[in-house]
Amino acid sequence: MIFETVSSGGCRSYLVGCEETCAAVLIDPELSQLDRYQALAAKDGLRIHYLVDTHTHADHFSGTRQLARQLAVPVVMHRLSPAPFVDLRLEGGEMLAVGRLRLQALHTPGHTRDSMCLTLQDRVFTGDTLLIGATGRTDLPTGDAGSLYDSLFGGLLRLDPALMVFPAHEYKGRTHSTLGQERAENPRLQKSDRDAFIEMMQNLNLTMPTHVTEALRTNMSGGKTVAQMLADAAAIVPFMSLDELKATLEHRPDEILVLDVRERDAYEAGHIPGAKHLPRGQLELRVNDELKDPTRRILVCCEFGRISTLAAATLRTMGFMGAVALDGGMKAWRDARSPLAT
């Protein structure tokens, strides 16, 4: 077996390959690490055959769908996953054949309804069902403390205690544990009475994950994250530096139209002298009336440079191919003590 662990903050992904056939599976890939996974597979001489999410993640952005498009391989999840882009849906007890390796699914609802673990030879990939020294939380959508108790004490913990535990999250740098160690030392597993376990899980008072709504939305639907939308826009939009804009306005002001896409109160409080105002939310509806010349060079600005990137990309898709975005936005303009009109 060829085995690689990829850490991204507290998230863990696992690349598992068959040494004999070079077939591989990637478990719980994270969106920001796509190039790294492919580089690791190439280093080890592996070809990824399956992309697996152990559950619908709420605390990070899954990379399965985007990587599946790049590699033309199936996305694998449990049958109860709500994601419409899943190609292969597993039931508990079913296996994935990865060369000579066999990964068997164990349905372990609780953290989410679609949670599953995967056993492979001497190890088990536990997703968020069982962590090192903890368990997955049950207060997020489709979570259920009673189901988690049943999955742990009625399923996962009945497997061979020597099985190594590789969870989807680890924040203290530990590589793995074993089922036996967790059963003996994990504080949450000391509550072996079902009612006591449920009461404990319902009173953890944990803070909500960052971007939980966005993560659930994108992981369940396959939609784009805000970061993806910005990256896609930035890929088709040129940027102009503050110095270049100042030089152009000073020496060749007729060559450029400055378009401020902030809301009216922000524009009126201070804008680049001569800038035209067209709020981003009205851009598509008013652009034909406000921007008469589609060949004009248009410098789009906002507060920090993000909304203007989206706006410039929109203008380019509408045929205004001279649209560019101000690098750093109005904040950079003010920080440079540049003149403002009000």
Side-chain angles (χ1 to χ4, degrees), residues 17 106 119 157 184 193 202 205-206 221 254 259 273 307:
L106 176 66
T119 59
L157 295 176
D193 176 76
Q202 291 177 341
N205 296 319
L206 301 173
S221 68
D254 293 339
L259 185 68
I307 294 174

Side-chain angles (χ1 to χ4, degrees), residues 40-85:
L40 274 176
K43 175 182 74 72
D44 293 329
L46 300 173
R47 181 177 181 273
I48 298 173
H49 284 223
Y50 296 105
L51 299 162
V52 180
D53 269 329
T54 55
H55 62 288
T56 300
H57 299 283
D59 49 5
H60 70 271
F61 302 114
S62 169
T64 51
R65 191 185 188 205
Q66 189 163 327
L67 198 54
R69 287 200 299 265
Q70 294 177 15
L71 302 179
V73 298
V75 174
V76 182
M77 293 187 74
H78 187 266
R79 180 180 60 83
L80 294 179
S81 167
F85 52 83

